[in-house]
Amino acid sequence: MQVRLLFFGNLTDAVRSSTLDWDWNGKRFAVADLLQSLYVNYPKLKGKTFRVAVNQQFVETDVALTDGDEVALMPPFSGG
């Protein structure tokens, strides 16, 4: 299975990309599992503040991911 990851703001510096395709093998894969894997592979993400959206909807970390989902990691934004 594969999900497309989108990174915004200072998170792109931590992973050196604005998009990644993330593959995994297994039955159930939740947002929390994805985050744990990202922290292992991209330790600069640890300690960063961000929200997670799956298919353009903000979600909690217990939400299960499915093949083809789009997962966005978004830091706080401010504007004026």
Side-chain angles (χ1 to χ4, degrees):
M1 294 186 162
Q2 185 179 74
V3 295
R4 164 78 36 116
L5 302 176
L6 307 175
F7 300 93
F8 295 91
N10 65 349
L11 302 178
T12 60
D13 296 333
V15 298
R16 296 185 178 148
S17 182
S18 61
T19 61
L20 291 173
D21 290 324
W22 198 263
D23 297 309
W24 79 93
N25 295 320
K27 294 180 180 147
R28 186 178 192 280
F29 196 72
V31 170
D33 301 314
L34 172 64
L35 293 177
Q36 187 62 33
S37 294
L38 285 171
Y39 293 146
V40 169
N41 288 284
Y42 301 97
K44 290 183 179 181
L45 279 176
K46 286 184 182 179
K48 301 276 186 194
T49 301
F50 57 87
R51 300 232 10 228
V52 177
V54 175
N55 300 325
Q56 301 180 0
Q57 297 291 318
F58 286 115
V59 297
E60 299 297 325
T61 58
D62 62 342
V63 168
L65 298 171
T66 59
D67 189 43
D69 281 346
E70 179 182 81
V71 181
L73 280 65
M74 297 180 285
F77 290 96
S78 64

